C-alpha cells in the first residue's frame, strides 16, 4: 500500500508507539502543544480517542487542556483551532516562497560547487603544470 508523505508522517511515529506501550490505566500523556501530537484534526481525535479507550488522560501544556478532568469538548475546539492555524501557516509560507521566486530570489541552500570550484575552471585543470 502506498502512502502519501503526509500520511506517512502521521502513521510512522515510533516515539508515539513507544509512549502507548509505556502508558498504563490512570496515566496521562502530556505534550507541549497539540501540534506536537497530531498533524490534523482527525489524527488528534484518533490519538486522544485511543488514549481515552485505554483509560489514559491527555494534557497539552500550551493550550492548557486536560482531558483527565473531562474537558473533551474543549479539546475538540482547540484541536480544530490548531489545525486551522497550521493550515494558515502553511498557506502563508507557500505564498512567501512564491513571492520570493517571483522576485527572482534564489531559495534554499547555496550551491556547494561554484564556477570557481568547478573542475572545468582553468586554474583547477589537471593538465596544468605549475
Amino acid at each position: 500500500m502506498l502512502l502519501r508523505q503526509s500520511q506517512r508522517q502521521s502513521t510512522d511515529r515510533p516515539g508515539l508507539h513507544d509512549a502507548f506501550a509505556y502508558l498504563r490505566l490512570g496515566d496521562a500523556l502530556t505534550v507541549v502543544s497539540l501540534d506536537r501530537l497530531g498533524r490534523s484534526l482527525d489524527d488528534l481525535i484518533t490519538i486522544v480517542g485511543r488514549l481515552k479507550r485505554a483509560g489514559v488522560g491527555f494534557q497539552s501544556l500550551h493550550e492548557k487542556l486536560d482531558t483527565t478532568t473531562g474537558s473533551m469538548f474543549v479539546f475538540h475546539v482547540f484541536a480544530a483551532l490548531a489545525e486551522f492555524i497550521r493550515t494558515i501557516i502553511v498557506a502563508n509560507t507557500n505564498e512567501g516562497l512564491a513571492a520570493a521566486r517571483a522576485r527572482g530570489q534564489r531559495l534554499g541552500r547555496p550551491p556547494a560547487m561554484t564556477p570557481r570550484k568547478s573542475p572545468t575552471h582553468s586554474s583547477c585543470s589537471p593538465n596544468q603544470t605549475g
Side-chain angles (χ1 to χ4, degrees):
M1 180 170 148
L2 296 175
L3 296 175
R4 292 191 317 255
Q5 181 67 24
S6 61
Q7 289 173 318
R8 277 194 302 258
Q9 289 174 349
S10 295
T11 58
D12 296 343
R13 301 183 58 191
L16 184 60
H17 177 73
D18 292 346
F20 272 110
Y22 183 81
L23 293 167
R24 302 290 176 251
L25 181 67
D27 287 349
L29 176 66
T30 303
V31 296
V32 174
S33 179
L34 282 176
D35 64 348
R36 304 306 303 156
L37 181 64
R39 298 294 180 228
S40 70
L41 181 59
D42 289 340
D43 198 21
L44 286 170
I45 291 172
T46 300
I47 292 168
V48 173
R50 183 175 169 193
L51 291 170
K52 187 174 182 181
R53 286 188 300 279
V56 174
F58 170 72
Q59 298 170 326
S60 173
L61 301 176
H62 183 260
E63 291 84 5
K64 295 178 180 44
L65 291 176
D66 186 355
T67 65
T68 61
T69 60
S71 61
M72 286 303 291
F73 173 75
V74 174
F75 163 75
H76 284 281
V77 170
F78 274 91
L81 287 172
E83 182 178 34
F84 177 69
I85 290 168
R86 183 173 188 273
T87 302
I88 290 172
I89 290 170
V90 168
N92 288 344
T93 300
N94 289 334
E95 286 176 16
L97 290 171
R101 283 187 197 103
R103 289 191 305 269
Q105 286 184 317
R106 189 185 175 294
L107 302 173
R109 183 176 181 210
M113 184 60 69
T114 63
R116 180 143 176 87
K117 293 179 183 177
S118 173
T120 60
H121 191 271
S122 61
S123 66
C124 296
S125 176
N127 297 332
Q128 190 177 29
T129 58

